[in-house]
Every structure is written in C-alpha cells, then in structure tokens.
Amino acid sequence: MTLIVEMAGLRIRMEHRFETVRRLCREYTVPDAERAEFTVRVSEAEIQNRMARVPESSRSEAWTEAGMLYEKISNALPAFDAYVLHASVVAVDGAAYAFAARPGVGKSTHTGYWRQMLGERVTVINGDKPILRFAEDGRLIAYGTPWNGKENWGTNTAAPIRAICLLERGTENAVFPIPAEEALREMLAHIHLTEPSETDLPRLLRLLERTMQSVPAYRLRCKNEVSAAETAIRALLPDGASSCENRTHPKAGGCLKFHDTKTQKEAGSSA
C-alpha cells in the first residue's frame, strides 16, 4: 500500500504493509497527490530484525513498521534543511518553545504544567518528535507529526521556534541562557537518528550550528511541580510575569531564579 503525507511542507510517499500506518497518518494524508519529495519504505527483513531486539511481549509488526518509517523520514530530512528533535514543543501566542531532556527527566510532565498554567493559550505542536525546518526567510519552524509520543499530544500545526530549553532535574527552579557551543553539544544527543550512515551528517551538523546561531538556548533546572513552568514562563514569554500573575496554583511563587542581573536582562530580551 502507498500513501502520501505532508509534513513540514514536504510531501513524502510511504510504502507500507499495515493499515496502522494509514490510521496513524490520517490527519497528514494528502489525497490524490502525485508529487512527492522522497519515498520511504521498510522491508520485511528490516522489521523482523528490529523485532528480534525487543521483548516478545512488546513486539508488533505494524507499530514496528510505523516507527521505522519515521526513522527513514528522519534520515532523509537534512537534505531539506530539516531534522527531527526528540523534544516536546508547545506554541503560545504564535511562538514555539521546545523542551528537550534525557529520558525520565520529565519533558512531558513539564509540558503538562505549561498547559495547566496557560490553559487554552497553549497548543502542543508535538509531545515527542517534532520536525524542525528552516524556512526561506531564515526562521526555524516547528511542525507537528503523527509520531507524538505515548501521551498522543500533537496537532497538525506549525510555529517559529522562540527558544530551546534543555531540562534537567534540580532542587530549585532556575532558568538561564547557555552558550551556543554548549547547547550544540547537548542537542546532538536529542536528534532522532538511529542510522547515522543513512543520513547526511555534515549537513545535519551545519543545521544544528545554524539552529544555535538563530535560536536562544536555555538551561532549565526544575523541580517536578508546576512552579517549574512558572519559572520558565516568566523568563521566556514576553508577557511572562503577567501571565503567571493571572493564574493561581499550589506551590507557585517566589521560585524565579537567575544567576545574576546581567543574565536576567539577557533572558528577558531574548524572549
């Protein structure tokens, strides 16, 4: 079976065996489309080899095919000035904020706190693996995809990235800008890329360098509570202070920390 989806402004032909793929991609399918920028497919041998690596209780040919198709898409994207970031991305008032973290740190939990703080102002573009692509005007745009994590948080929408936050656990909440070189080293660990030999690595590295030159990066040390979202919102949103003052919740307040006065001004101007 074949279907064509449109993601990040690209039309992609997917050759697949299982109906699961068609159901997963129904909101992104382009009916009666003839043109596609590239084609992806997964062989039966590739599916079986992948399934042999996971516990028998977790094996599913259909979902293995779906996941591997997205891996193939990820490998092809650098040729189109795009890549897949393992992160959660939310949009607030037309601007996107990305939260990347090691497994278990709580990027989905933090995303939920933003929804709790800001309500309907928040749209989750993708809760797990968005596509980031540079537009012709130089802006880095985050796009929704059908592959959006176990919470199934995502929409077929897009917004320009205003900030990238690297999350880590802390005993208190703190947010501060980090140098582009430091952010670049950490971003490499958050790129969704399973077969480096199948992608254009030099081009991907140039895209990441361009990302760090175009978008401010922040370190967000946070406790596992809603006050962490208040810390981030106050620092990153242009109206962050008023947004927080208009919301009430337990354990929020007195939690905004910056390293020094200079850093505070930089964080405010970058947002």
Tab-separated table of all heavy atoms in Angstrom, residues 5-6 18 34 74 161 163 171 182 188 198 208 264:
chain	number	residue	atom	x	y	z
A	5	VAL	N	1.950	11.714	2.588
A	5	VAL	CA	1.665	12.625	3.696
A	5	VAL	C	2.404	13.929	3.451
A	5	VAL	O	3.398	13.981	2.717
A	5	VAL	CB	2.089	12.024	5.049
A	5	VAL	CG1	1.314	10.748	5.346
A	5	VAL	CG2	3.597	11.763	5.085
A	6	GLU	N	1.895	14.987	4.081
A	6	GLU	CA	2.574	16.275	4.017
A	6	GLU	C	2.933	16.701	5.430
A	6	GLU	O	2.054	16.881	6.284
A	6	GLU	CB	1.713	17.339	3.347
A	6	GLU	CG	2.450	18.665	3.183
A	6	GLU	CD	1.748	19.618	2.237
A	6	GLU	OE1	0.996	19.152	1.352
A	6	GLU	OE2	1.959	20.829	2.386
A	18	PHE	N	0.915	-2.279	6.603
A	18	PHE	CA	-0.118	-2.380	7.626
A	18	PHE	C	-1.020	-1.139	7.654
A	18	PHE	O	-0.568	-0.003	7.471
A	18	PHE	CB	0.525	-2.586	9.002
A	18	PHE	CG	1.294	-3.866	9.115
A	18	PHE	CD1	2.672	-3.885	8.964
A	18	PHE	CD2	0.634	-5.064	9.353
A	18	PHE	CE1	3.383	-5.072	9.057
A	18	PHE	CE2	1.334	-6.257	9.451
A	18	PHE	CZ	2.717	-6.262	9.297
A	34	GLU	N	0.210	13.340	-6.489
A	34	GLU	CA	1.105	12.621	-7.392
A	34	GLU	C	2.569	12.907	-7.079
A	34	GLU	O	3.411	12.026	-7.206
A	34	GLU	CB	0.796	13.008	-8.843
A	34	GLU	CG	-0.607	12.621	-9.295
A	34	GLU	CD	-0.863	13.009	-10.732
A	34	GLU	OE1	0.070	13.578	-11.364
A	34	GLU	OE2	-1.969	12.755	-11.224
A	74	SER	N	13.325	10.648	9.062
A	74	SER	CA	14.305	11.439	9.807
A	74	SER	C	15.652	11.454	9.091
A	74	SER	O	16.326	12.492	9.020
A	74	SER	CB	14.473	10.880	11.216
A	74	SER	OG	13.255	10.895	11.920
A	161	ILE	N	10.198	28.759	16.162
A	161	ILE	CA	10.802	28.491	17.466
A	161	ILE	C	11.345	29.784	18.067
A	161	ILE	O	12.139	30.487	17.446
A	161	ILE	CB	11.947	27.465	17.342
A	161	ILE	CG1	11.420	26.092	16.942
A	161	ILE	CG2	12.726	27.377	18.641
A	161	ILE	CD1	10.854	25.279	18.069
A	163	ALA	N	12.494	29.671	21.531
A	163	ALA	CA	13.518	29.259	22.488
A	163	ALA	C	13.581	27.743	22.556
A	163	ALA	O	12.581	27.055	22.358
A	163	ALA	CB	13.228	29.834	23.871
A	171	THR	N	17.003	20.941	42.626
A	171	THR	CA	16.357	21.093	43.935
A	171	THR	C	15.603	22.402	44.024
A	171	THR	O	14.829	22.623	44.954
A	171	THR	CB	17.388	21.012	45.060
A	171	THR	OG1	18.391	22.014	44.843
A	171	THR	CG2	18.049	19.635	45.074
A	182	GLU	N	27.859	25.100	23.960
A	182	GLU	CA	27.403	24.145	24.964
A	182	GLU	C	26.071	23.522	24.554
A	182	GLU	O	25.866	22.303	24.667
A	182	GLU	CB	27.269	24.852	26.315
A	182	GLU	CG	26.794	23.962	27.451
A	182	GLU	CD	26.664	24.721	28.763
A	182	GLU	OE1	27.221	25.837	28.867
A	182	GLU	OE2	26.005	24.196	29.684
A	188	LEU	N	23.009	17.383	20.150
A	188	LEU	CA	23.360	16.188	19.380
A	188	LEU	C	22.736	14.932	19.972
A	188	LEU	O	22.365	14.007	19.247
A	188	LEU	CB	24.884	16.036	19.318
A	188	LEU	CG	25.618	17.037	18.422
A	188	LEU	CD1	27.123	16.950	18.659
A	188	LEU	CD2	25.286	16.787	16.964
A	198	GLU	N	22.935	6.499	7.179
A	198	GLU	CA	21.922	6.707	6.147
A	198	GLU	C	21.520	8.169	6.003
A	198	GLU	O	20.568	8.477	5.293
A	198	GLU	CB	20.682	5.856	6.453
A	198	GLU	CG	20.954	4.357	6.402
A	198	GLU	CD	19.704	3.536	6.654
A	198	GLU	OE1	18.607	4.121	6.682
A	198	GLU	OE2	19.821	2.311	6.812
A	208	LEU	N	22.395	22.103	12.822
A	208	LEU	CA	22.395	22.306	14.272
A	208	LEU	C	23.184	23.555	14.649
A	208	LEU	O	22.778	24.314	15.543
A	208	LEU	CB	22.957	21.080	14.971
A	208	LEU	CG	22.111	19.808	14.873
A	208	LEU	CD1	22.808	18.637	15.542
A	208	LEU	CD2	20.737	20.030	15.486
A	264	GLN	N	19.710	38.032	33.801
A	264	GLN	CA	18.274	38.273	33.825
A	264	GLN	C	17.874	39.176	32.665
A	264	GLN	O	16.873	38.931	31.994
A	264	GLN	CB	17.880	38.911	35.164
A	264	GLN	CG	16.378	39.098	35.310
A	264	GLN	CD	16.001	39.534	36.712
A	264	GLN	OE1	16.850	39.715	37.553
A	264	GLN	NE2	14.732	39.707	36.924
